[in-house]
Amino acid sequence: MTTTEQTVTLTASDGPNQPERTPALEELYRGFEKELLVPLWTEIGDLMPIQPQSKALPHVWRWKDLLPLAEKAGELVPVGRGGERRAIALANPGLSGAPFTTPTLWTAIQYLGPREDAPVHRHTQHAFRFVVEGEGVWTVVDGDPVAMRRGDFLLTPGWQFHGHHNQSDSPMAWIDGLDIPFAHHTESTFFEFGPDEVSDRGTPDRSRSEHLWAHPGLAPVSASGVPTPSSPLAAYRWEFTDNALNDQLKLESAGHSGVVEPGHAAVRFTNPTTGGDVMPTIRAEFHRLRRGAETATRREVGSSVFQVFEGTGRVRVGDREWTLTHGDLFVVPSWQPLTLATDEGLDLFRFSDTPIFDRLHQTRVIVEGTAQ
Amino acid sequence: MTTTEQTVTLTASDGPNQPERTPALEELYRGFEKELLVPLWTEIGDLMPIQPQSKALPHVWRWKDLLPLAEKAGELVPVGRGGERRAIALANPGLSGAPFTTPTLWTAIQYLGPREDAPVHRHTQHAFRFVVEGEGVWTVVDGDPVAMRRGDFLLTPGWQFHGHHNQSDSPMAWIDGLDIPFAHHTESTFFEFGPDEVSDRGTPDRSRSEHLWAHPGLAPVSASGVPTPSSPLAAYRWEFTDNALNDQLKLESAGHSGVVEPGHAAVRFTNPTTGGDVMPTIRAEFHRLRRGAETATRREVGSSVFQVFEGTGRVRVGDREWTLTHGDLFVVPSWQPLTLATDEGLDLFRFSDTPIFDRLHQTRVIVEGTAQ
Amino acid sequence: MTTTEQTVTLTASDGPNQPERTPALEELYRGFEKELLVPLWTEIGDLMPIQPQSKALPHVWRWKDLLPLAEKAGELVPVGRGGERRAIALANPGLSGAPFTTPTLWTAIQYLGPREDAPVHRHTQHAFRFVVEGEGVWTVVDGDPVAMRRGDFLLTPGWQFHGHHNQSDSPMAWIDGLDIPFAHHTESTFFEFGPDEVSDRGTPDRSRSEHLWAHPGLAPVSASGVPTPSSPLAAYRWEFTDNALNDQLKLESAGHSGVVEPGHAAVRFTNPTTGGDVMPTIRAEFHRLRRGAETATRREVGSSVFQVFEGTGRVRVGDREWTLTHGDLFVVPSWQPLTLATDEGLDLFRFSDTPIFDRLHQTRVIVEGTAQ
Amino acid sequence: MTTTEQTVTLTASDGPNQPERTPALEELYRGFEKELLVPLWTEIGDLMPIQPQSKALPHVWRWKDLLPLAEKAGELVPVGRGGERRAIALANPGLSGAPFTTPTLWTAIQYLGPREDAPVHRHTQHAFRFVVEGEGVWTVVDGDPVAMRRGDFLLTPGWQFHGHHNQSDSPMAWIDGLDIPFAHHTESTFFEFGPDEVSDRGTPDRSRSEHLWAHPGLAPVSASGVPTPSSPLAAYRWEFTDNALNDQLKLESAGHSGVVEPGHAAVRFTNPTTGGDVMPTIRAEFHRLRRGAETATRREVGSSVFQVFEGTGRVRVGDREWTLTHGDLFVVPSWQPLTLATDEGLDLFRFSDTPIFDRLHQTRVIVEGTAQ
């Protein structure tokens, strides 16, 4: 353990609600420092704000900037045991340079060159992949080869061995999402190395998990009645996501309920053994806005990250506003108001840390009405 | 309330474990009768057997016998308000002539002639339909028209208004399953009449519920995070069931796990909001046996009913044995050993009362090894 | 298995909503009978009433009549292996002479003479004892001797070995409650004989289960975090029940909430590992009415049985009305309206089958306003 | 929002598993910095250690040092609106001077002079008080005055209004525990000011919540069947805790199970509506070691804080070891091995963040055998 002891430094202040700055107070504060104590009354504004004051900032990362850097890393940085993955993380500008997109969520672009392998390991952090473009890589999760293709959402729940291998002659880049910052902060992380190569270099079109679980409303009797903390389904294929979104919009066109709000269809990826979120710490969804749609403004406890899959649009997060195009990623810190709009239609992948708050009864949501 | 008072009759017996049959004992028993009392010691053998002694008996009903009777009823018995449905129930030969297939489950063949309607009502009993052949009827469940076609499993959870209408020029017959005997015995049943005609005579290929819920692992965000006691999915289509069973057999052929036992694939129909059974009192499954397969012998608490969908085979329940062919229905009373076998392959729909016992922690299962 | 085959008998009727009584219909009905079929249209009124029509009837059993009969049984009927218990069940006058107080609940007076033993056995049916008067018996549950004293509520959850022994020179009588009718009807019952004598003839004041679990809001760390289907606490002592009821009335006197309704305090016995009911099929409560109190009229799905512990009063169930005094037992069938009133104060023990309906989402309650 | 934008700084290194330090690599890293990107391969050792590497350090704070500083603060620092509480937090030496005892838990000594008030507010953070000595203060939680006395464990679940007032002529100090660091890090915190004075200055011996909930295994029917996220019981009195611990030791002396390990009794404070932890983020327990007892060495995911209530002993946490006496507080960071021992007997209050990990399926515990 490399942690080193640190000290406490207190400054008596003239601020409002602060005790009078006297020599006796200064002496008391020196006593606090000596005993590693910090008074509430100097810190309460930061510690207990009226509503969440995120350190994390709204930010957008442009796919057109990320991809060339990943390609360049593909040239310069080998993938192998030790570094483990050629993954490049999105570091929120409010979080002191740490590779954390939000206080709880890690987002990275991962890049694998033609015929490259990423070695097998496992960790308690929960992970997923989302493929904004490309194909040719299989991720092998607990021995089950899972093809990665455009639009697919792919799971690697905590403590499952996994490695990737590119079976094609083209490179492939995709997005990784994990709960690394949450696990790091709560000091709950375990890691184990596996073999240098994946155990099964097969390239099936569908994983074994899909044979068992990718049938709507159907569970294999051999595994029924045993809820698992994470989804047993390793791949949520684009074809199904796309159909589900279209079906919601068809219902809306026919005058029936089902969409989130006018012109806004959305599906949540779920664990078929519970009906809940795919993994204990991560929620994942796909949103589709019709041409001309604009969402209500929404604030919620917890942070989320979006990636544009198709289309173009505009997003406002807090007091920042950006245009959006293919592959762009943006972060919505906790309790920051979010509004989305599009002229020509917009497809967005989203993930968030909401399950943490749901399970701790801390979720709050305000929908503030359509932005005008 | 038409219930009338009944009396208690006790007979002192010379049986084992019985007190000596004396005038004093007879006088005591007359005292018990007067006060509506029954001693445990005369009844314990029946009330507390070593293991379940089902009154319900194993029995098979032949589709070739049922269907003509239903057709004849179609000629003679109108469908309308009051009688409500042209449904003919399978009465277990052990249950005193009551229209109960088991002590908890109702099974009936329902028949609707060309262009006929069954009026709208609702009840707290949970209901489903399974279609062994035919098409042309829509069941309208809480206003949502649901096409009924061969192989489909269709839900009408408790207290949802529903009516049926045949939009074709052919009659259609199908199987209804409900928890009527359970609700009747526990005296928990409510019923309400609805309109004489269904509200929506549309004939969509897919119901609205399927637009929202028939996508594997995907839930509409507008309804997410709110588990419902019964499944929101009104129709489980044959195409998906068939694919799921084939996928299990493909895994088996490739040497992977997933089937229940060698040559025996099975899926459970589930509530996508919970991952559990489709309705609180009813489990439903579909089983497929490969050519030449034979199951282990299985005993479990609770009763079930099977219908042959395709193929032929043999079944042994307790000390009874039958050959099986298309449409045949048989009942497996509680704790009676069940073995299935087939030469040419066998597809079976099954439903049971298992969720009742699961929720009350009374489930027991013994798999006794493959029958030889 | 002694069950024998029975036949179906159908009678074409001229009743409303019945098809015309023709020779063809009679022939159809004969066909139904031959194939063990029963049409819905002749049965629906009984099977699917608008609201529960209980076969069980309201009834009261008088303690002053029960106790002498139990004493007489103590003279004439030995306790021992085979008969197992000197228990005399309350047979509802609507239930065909079966020893069932309601369709789901068994109630019996059990009697043990001085120095008598009841042998050890176990069964899947859940059981409790309630002691309206007396002491001197220990029930030994899974090896833990539990003293039985006036006002105590004592558990024997399903499948726990148990025997009783009277360590005093006086007889003792108490009430047993079980889910025998429910288990019998659903054919889910297992039974096993244990030793002829209890393993531990100790006579501790408090059971081991109370050492671990009878501390408010406290759980032993050695057993924490593992919810059990039934409560691990074998004895709920009168002292605590009495205090809890008095505390509710004190809050009411001070103008605070807590009582069920004016002048009516009530506690539910709970499983401390879940906060829910003590056993999966049985709810138990204790109710105290102040002098002059009268309850609202209440209807609920499911049946319950009350025993008067102290005081006197009046009860109305459905269209029946009785005065009540010490030890009297009365039954409230499903959905029958219940009203209680007292001049001098009334203490009542109650148990019901509500957990069955709660877990199956079938509970309904209507409180109809105070009876005038 | 006062957060300011920060930048990323990357240093190419010669370390193992790092790519060769070339000008091209440096240029790539500058590109990463520009786009707010951080590669995994430079950070993985810190982010994904083989097992938790706590930044938090083992540490002990001495009551004999804390109390005089709190008393001095009583002289110099007024309590009132703005500062809200005279609470002085234990700042872990590994956590950069922040007032966090662990990455998730806040611990403070709070001090209220004779006749002083602390104003009413509420916050989403969950709070408790533990009283190592003294009495005379009432905390008023959602309008219910709760006496605070030696040995009591007192709850203020999230979002309940609360203020304190000292009704005596003596000062009083106690320990506050909250999940402030967790809420702060996850940016999920709300706060609201209430009245400057508590609404009810009554000084009842027992709170209203205790009238309703402090009866073993009993719940008020008026509030039954509705699990609440936090316990409705505001006070866990020392008398009951002490009795429960003694009862476990009595069982051990009589040869029965119940203690955690030889000579080590422990109870968990629970939510009587669920049987689970008192609040969603905080577990609280009380441990009693007999004279001469020594615990096994235990490691678990998540952090905890102990306070010595009575007796003396020794503790080893990681590679640190201390003697312990009345009032001393020590911290056990995540996955640090903990061993306790005592010659004359030791009573310890403990709280931890375990519910967070339990609900996220991240709990791991290793008991390594008794330390020798």
Side-chain angles (χ1 to χ4, degrees), chain B residues 24-73:
Chain B
L25 187 73
E26 293 288 357
E27 186 186 335
L28 177 65
Y29 282 15
R30 294 300 84 71
F32 287 169
E33 289 174 357
K34 181 163 169 290
E35 298 300 332
L36 290 167
L37 299 173
V38 177
L40 175 62
W41 57 85
T42 63
E43 309 294 319
I44 190 169
D46 176 51
L47 292 178
M48 293 188 146
I50 298 301
Q51 62 187 35
Q53 299 297 322
S54 60
K55 284 198 185 111
L57 295 175
H59 193 74
V60 67
W61 289 261
R62 301 296 182 183
W63 189 245
K64 70 171 177 51
D65 297 325
L66 295 189
L67 191 57
L69 288 164
E71 287 166 345
K72 177 61 77 175

Side-chain angles (χ1 to χ4, degrees), chain C residues 208-219:
Chain C
R208 301 200 290 269
S209 78
E210 291 163 271
H211 281 75
L212 289 177
W213 288 102
H215 306 283
L218 301 174

Side-chain angles (χ1 to χ4, degrees), chain B residues 1 3-8 17 19 24-25 28 31-32 35-41 43-44 46-57 59 61 65-66 69 72-73 76-78 81-91 93-97 99-100 103-104 106 123-126 159 178-182 184-191 193 229 280-281 301 320 334-336 356-357 359-362 364, chain C residues 1 3-8 17 19 24-25 28 31-32 35-41 43-44 46-57 59 61 65-66 69 72-73 76-78 81-91 93-97 99-100 103-104 106 123-126 159 178-182 184-191 193 229 280-281 301 320 334-336 356-357 359-362 364:
Chain B
M1 196 175 60
T3 311
T4 52
E5 295 223 10
Q6 294 142 348
T7 54
V8 164
N17 307 316
L25 187 73
L28 177 65
F32 287 169
E35 298 300 332
L36 290 167
L37 299 173
V38 177
L40 175 62
W41 57 85
E43 309 294 319
I44 190 169
D46 176 51
L47 292 178
M48 293 188 146
I50 298 301
Q51 62 187 35
Q53 299 297 322
S54 60
K55 284 198 185 111
L57 295 175
H59 193 74
W61 289 261
D65 297 325
L66 295 189
L69 288 164
K72 177 61 77 175
L76 300 176
V77 182
R81 182 59 76 215
E84 298 294 307
R85 297 289 182 264
R86 192 187 291 113
I88 308 159
L90 281 51
L95 295 177
S96 310
F100 300 159
T104 53
W106 162 281
H123 39 71
T124 48
Q125 292 95 335
H126 299 289
W159 215 234
L178 292 96
D179 59 3
I180 289 176
F182 180 78
H184 184 255
H185 181 78
T186 56
E187 305 187 335
S188 59
T189 168
F190 293 82
F191 182 94
F193 293 106
T281 53
V301 166
R320 300 296 301 269
S334 185
W335 209 242
Q336 296 273 2
I356 297 172
F357 302 102
R359 286 156 193 243
L360 300 174
H361 299 273
Q362 295 289 8
R364 284 200 195 190
Chain C
M1 197 175 58
T3 312
T4 52
E5 296 223 8
Q6 294 142 344
T7 54
V8 164
N17 307 315
L25 187 73
L28 177 65
F32 286 168
E35 297 300 332
L36 289 167
L37 300 173
V38 176
L40 175 61
W41 58 85
E43 309 293 319
I44 189 168
D46 176 51
L47 293 178
M48 293 187 147
I50 299 300
Q51 60 187 36
Q53 297 298 323
S54 61
K55 284 199 185 110
L57 295 174
H59 193 73
W61 288 260
D65 298 324
L66 294 189
L69 287 165
K72 178 59 78 175
L76 300 178
V77 182
R81 182 59 75 216
E84 300 292 311
R85 298 290 183 264
R86 193 187 291 111
I88 309 159
L90 280 51
L95 295 177
S96 310
F100 301 159
T104 53
W106 162 281
H123 38 72
T124 48
Q125 291 95 334
H126 300 289
W159 215 234
L178 291 95
D179 58 4
I180 289 176
F182 179 79
H184 185 255
H185 181 79
T186 56
E187 306 189 330
S188 60
T189 168
F190 293 82
F191 182 95
F193 294 107
T281 52
V301 165
R320 301 295 301 272
S334 184
W335 210 240
Q336 296 272 3
I356 297 171
F357 301 102
R359 287 157 193 241
L360 300 175
H361 300 273
Q362 295 289 7
R364 285 199 195 191

Side-chain angles (χ1 to χ4, degrees), chain C residues 82-255:
Chain C
E84 300 292 311
R85 298 290 183 264
R86 193 187 291 111
I88 309 159
L90 280 51
N92 191 289
L95 295 177
S96 310
F100 301 159
T101 315
T102 81
T104 53
L105 298 173
W106 162 281
T107 320
I109 179 170
Q110 186 169 160
Y111 184 90
L112 215 49
R115 307 291 163 186
E116 268 191 334
D117 274 36
V120 178
H121 61 214
R122 66 175 174 177
H123 38 72
T124 48
Q125 291 95 334
H126 300 289
F128 71 82
R129 335 270 159 219
F130 176 71
V131 183
V132 75
E133 60 189 31
E135 64 181 17
V137 170
W138 272 254
T139 177
V140 184
V141 180
D142 266 353
D144 184 13
V146 184
M148 299 175 62
R149 290 184 297 252
R150 180 181 168 277
D152 292 345
F153 170 68
L154 309 141
L155 292 193
T156 311
W159 215 234
Q160 298 196 358
F161 277 115
H162 56 285
H164 319 307
H165 59 114
N166 189 341
Q167 290 285 359
S168 80
D169 296 321
S170 304
M172 185 177 171
W174 64 87
I175 293 300
D176 285 342
L178 291 95
D179 58 4
I180 289 176
F182 179 79
H184 185 255
H185 181 79
T186 56
E187 306 189 330
S188 60
T189 168
F190 293 82
F191 182 95
E192 187 176 341
F193 294 107
D196 286 349
E197 290 211 4
V198 301
S199 55
D200 185 337
R201 302 189 75 84
T203 56
D205 187 55
R206 290 191 305 145
S207 63
R208 301 200 290 269
S209 78
E210 291 163 271
H211 281 75
L212 289 177
W213 288 102
H215 306 283
L218 301 174
V221 167
S222 59
S224 290
V226 187
T228 51
S230 294
S231 173
L233 180 57
Y236 295 73
R237 297 297 175 194
W238 173 241
E239 172 194 0
F240 300 125
T241 305
D242 188 38
N243 287 346
L245 294 164
N246 283 340
D247 272 0
Q248 282 186 24
L249 294 176
K250 280 183 205 163
L251 283 184
E252 186 188 31
S253 297

Side-chain angles (χ1 to χ4, degrees), chain A residues 9-333:
Chain A
T9 309
L10 297 175
T11 311
S13 121
D14 295 324
N17 307 314
Q18 293 304 315
E20 196 188 351
R21 198 169 167 178
T22 62
L25 186 73
E26 294 287 358
E27 186 186 336
L28 177 66
Y29 282 14
R30 295 300 84 71
F32 286 169
E33 289 174 354
K34 179 163 170 288
E35 297 300 333
L36 290 167
L37 299 172
V38 176
L40 175 63
W41 57 85
T42 63
E43 309 294 319
I44 189 169
D46 176 51
L47 292 178
M48 292 187 147
I50 298 301
Q51 60 187 33
Q53 298 297 323
S54 60
K55 283 198 186 112
L57 295 175
H59 193 74
V60 67
W61 289 260
R62 300 296 181 183
W63 190 246
K64 72 169 176 51
D65 297 324
L66 295 189
L67 190 58
L69 286 165
E71 287 166 346
K72 177 60 77 176
E75 291 171 27
L76 301 177
V77 181
V79 178
R81 183 57 77 217
E84 299 294 308
R85 298 288 183 264
R86 192 187 290 113
I88 309 160
L90 280 52
N92 191 289
L95 295 178
S96 309
F100 300 159
T101 315
T102 82
T104 54
L105 298 174
W106 162 282
T107 320
I109 178 171
Q110 187 170 159
Y111 184 90
L112 215 49
R115 307 288 162 187
E116 268 191 335
D117 274 36
V120 177
H121 63 214
R122 66 176 175 178
H123 39 72
T124 48
Q125 292 95 334
H126 299 289
F128 71 82
R129 336 268 158 221
F130 176 70
V131 184
V132 74
E133 61 188 31
E135 64 180 15
V137 170
W138 271 254
T139 176
V140 184
V141 180
D142 266 353
D144 185 13
V146 184
M148 298 175 63
R149 289 184 297 252
R150 179 178 170 278
D152 293 345
F153 170 67
L154 309 142
L155 292 192
T156 310
W159 215 234
Q160 299 196 357
F161 278 115
H162 56 286
H164 319 307
H165 59 114
N166 188 342
Q167 290 284 0
S168 80
D169 295 321
S170 305
M172 186 177 169
W174 65 86
I175 293 301
D176 285 343
L178 292 95
D179 58 2
I180 289 176
F182 180 78
H184 184 255
H185 181 79
T186 56
E187 306 188 331
S188 60
T189 168
F190 293 82
F191 182 95
E192 189 177 338
F193 293 108
D196 286 351
E197 289 210 6
V198 300
S199 55
D200 185 337
R201 302 188 74 85
T203 56
D205 186 55
R206 290 191 305 145
S207 63
R208 300 201 289 270
S209 78
E210 291 163 87
H211 281 76
L212 289 177
W213 288 102
H215 306 281
L218 301 174
V221 167
S222 59
S224 289
V226 187
T228 51
S230 294
S231 173
L233 179 57
Y236 296 71
R237 298 295 174 193
W238 173 241
E239 172 193 0
F240 300 124
T241 306
D242 187 38
N243 286 345
L245 294 164
N246 283 341
D247 271 0
Q248 282 187 23
L249 295 176
K250 280 183 205 162
L251 283 183
E252 186 189 30
S253 298
H256 299 301
S257 63
V259 294
V260 172
E261 58 191 330
H264 178 186
V267 291
R268 185 166 299 160
F269 300 99
T270 63
N271 174 351
T273 74
T274 64
D277 286 297
V278 282
M279 298 186 295
T281 52
I282 295 179
R283 169 163 297 172
E285 296 173 348
F286 207 101
H287 292 251
R288 172 167 292 170
L289 270 64
R290 282 184 197 273
R291 291 162 183 272
E294 177 165 1
T295 69
T297 299
R298 193 179 175 88
R299 312 180 77 145
E300 56 186 290
V301 165
S303 53
S304 55
V305 179
F306 289 75
Q307 184 173 31
V308 176
F309 183 64
E310 287 293 341
T312 60
R314 298 177 301 285
V315 63
R316 193 167 61 233
V317 184
D319 53 7
R320 300 295 301 272
E321 190 158 2
W322 297 281
T323 58
L324 297 172
T325 191
H326 174 70
D328 291 350
L329 292 129
F330 61 91
V331 60
V332 184

